[in-house]
Amino acid sequence: MKFITVPILLLSAILLLGVFLRFFRIEELATFRADQAIELSGARDILSGKLTLIGIKTSNSEVRNGAVMYYLLVPFVWLFKGDPVAGGVLQSLLSLGTVGVVFYIIKKYIGPKEALFGAFLTATSSLLVLYSRQTLLAFYPLFFNSVVFLISMSILKKFRTLLVLTLGIFLGITIQIHYSAIALILASWLLPLIFIKKNLWLKYYFYLFFGLLLGLLPMIVFELRHQFFNTKMLFTIKSASANVNFLGFWQDALSRFLFGGNIFFTRIYLLFLSGTIILFRKKLGSIQKLSLTFIFASIIFTLIFRNSLQPPYEYISHYA
């Protein structure tokens, strides 16, 4: 059959490896902590007919996340009859979905060999495998962020208002899952300034904003019904960037994603990557420039909002 090619066969093997790494002894290796109990309880309540517009509160404030993951968890909680492993299964499936998205992006815009390498890194990363077994909101955006990147690349290749609207909707959904998606919104604001003709800016921002409103609709309804509680709480969050070892923050994230926590190899990689970008800056393609835009947005987000050294694994998929 024509559609069964060598890259597809190798991708299938990589996905099978990813399945094994994530699901082998998942019932024994998965964690179950307070946040996970709250999320699964929220899904169970929905099964009982108690619908909700809002989800669990964030770890460092009274700001509430959206209820998107509650609803995504519902069929898994039902299928596994309330077993806590349901969350780990959903998380693992989304992580494996990210492997496919990463492969598609790189194959389409760079080449099949590079795509297989990127898919392999994403499938076998010790960091992603570890967190695939945990149903925590901070880990869920991985898949959605990859889709946002794919849509953004599609907009660069051919501007279409439907794509921009879809981008806005996905941004709204992702920020409901976790507020780290603010970095994605920043990247989407920068995108037209760098890549799109000026005469399309107004149309881009209009459809992006409209899509964002659609994606955030449940939270907007909640805000209107509760005197803008979330908005008020959001403005009470104080930046703790002065307490963050910024270089160590990103170094730790990359080392855990690419090198199993080995700082020495990470530093060599960063030196090589920085040198390559500087040396070949005039030859960078759209995907490399867009990746740098997303990285820049993530760094800005880190400087403003992060108050712990927890690795920003939810963004690593953009530059696998």
Side-chain angles (χ1 to χ4, degrees):
M1 290 180 283
K2 292 182 179 180
F3 64 90
I4 300 180
T5 60
V6 173
I8 294 299
L9 289 174
L10 292 175
L11 175 63
S12 300
I14 291 171
L15 285 171
L16 286 174
L17 177 60
V19 168
F20 173 77
L21 291 174
R22 286 160 176 78
F23 287 97
F24 177 66
R25 296 174 57 205
I26 189 171
E27 291 188 350
E28 300 171 38
L29 298 174
T31 63
F32 188 65
R33 298 183 290 186
D35 283 359
Q36 294 162 274
I38 294 172
E39 292 161 20
L40 290 170
S41 295
R44 184 191 60 189
D45 289 343
I46 292 172
L47 276 174
S48 302
K50 300 176 182 177
L51 304 182
T52 182
L53 295 170
I54 207 70
I56 189 173
K57 79 181 189 68
T58 58
S59 58
N60 59 354
S61 72
E62 290 300 319
V63 176
R64 296 270 173 172
N65 290 294
V68 171
M69 292 316 304
Y70 285 4
Y71 288 94
L72 287 180
L73 277 166
V74 165
F76 294 89
V77 172
W78 175 81
L79 183 64
F80 288 91
K81 299 179 179 178
D83 192 315
V85 78
V89 171
L90 172 58
Q91 181 68 269
S92 296
L93 290 175
L94 288 174
S95 180
L96 290 168
T98 305
V99 176
V101 176
V102 168
F103 174 83
Y104 179 80
I105 292 172
I106 302 177
K107 181 177 183 295
K108 184 173 182 178
Y109 297 108
I110 300 180
K113 293 180 181 179
E114 294 84 353
L116 288 169
F117 182 64
F120 178 79
L121 285 179
T122 308
T124 60
S125 165
S126 60
L127 180 68
L128 301 187
V129 170
L130 174 64
Y131 289 125
S132 289
R133 306 187 187 104
Q134 304 181 37
T135 173
L136 291 175
L137 291 183
F139 311 145
Y140 280 115
L142 178 66
F143 172 77
F144 297 93
N145 291 1
S146 300
V147 174
V148 165
F149 188 88
L150 174 59
I151 297 171
S152 299
M153 274 302 303
S154 300
I155 292 172
L156 298 194
K157 290 300 177 183
K158 186 176 182 180
F159 182 90
R160 283 180 288 178
T161 54
L162 181 60
L163 281 175
V164 180
L165 180 67
T166 305
L167 175 62
I169 292 172
F170 264 89
L171 287 172
I173 291 172
T174 309
I175 202 171
Q176 282 197 72
I177 297 172
H178 199 269
Y179 284 100
S180 58
I182 289 173
L184 296 179
I185 293 178
L186 176 58
S188 71
W189 287 347
L190 294 173
L191 189 149
L193 304 179
I194 302 171
F195 301 100
I196 297 176
K197 293 179 180 179
K198 195 171 182 178
N199 63 319
L200 294 173
W201 287 4
L202 183 59
K203 185 180 291 187
Y204 173 89
Y205 285 119
F206 173 80
Y207 282 96
L208 181 74
F209 182 70
F210 184 60
L212 188 61
L213 290 179
L214 291 177
L216 285 171
L217 190 58
M219 292 190 75
I220 292 173
V221 174
F222 175 85
E223 290 291 87
L224 292 173
R225 293 178 61 183
H226 296 86
Q227 294 77 49
F228 296 93
F229 172 81
N230 251 7
T231 304
K232 293 175 183 176
M233 292 299 102
L234 186 63
F235 282 108
T236 66
I237 299 177
K238 296 180 180 179
S239 171
S241 59
N243 299 322
V244 174
N245 180 343
F246 180 74
L247 293 178
F249 182 89
W250 283 93
Q251 179 179 260
D252 183 49
L254 286 171
S255 68
R256 294 176 67 189
F257 174 70
L258 293 172
F259 303 107
N262 190 301
I263 298 297
F264 175 75
F265 285 117
T266 303
R267 289 174 178 172
I268 293 177
Y269 167 77
L270 285 172
L271 287 172
F272 175 78
L273 180 63
S274 301
T276 302
I277 291 172
I278 293 171
L279 188 62
F280 296 100
R281 61 186 181 279
K282 294 182 180 180
K283 297 182 179 180
L284 296 178
S286 297
I287 189 170
Q288 289 85 9
K289 292 178 181 178
L290 185 63
S291 296
L292 290 174
T293 303
F294 273 79
I295 294 170
F296 174 75
S298 299
I299 290 173
I300 296 300
F301 172 80
T302 303
L303 287 171
I304 297 174
F305 290 102
R306 285 290 181 174
N307 61 359
S308 72
L309 292 176
Q310 185 178 1
Y313 31 77
E314 58 265 36
Y315 291 106
I316 297 298
S317 63
H318 290 311
Y319 27 98

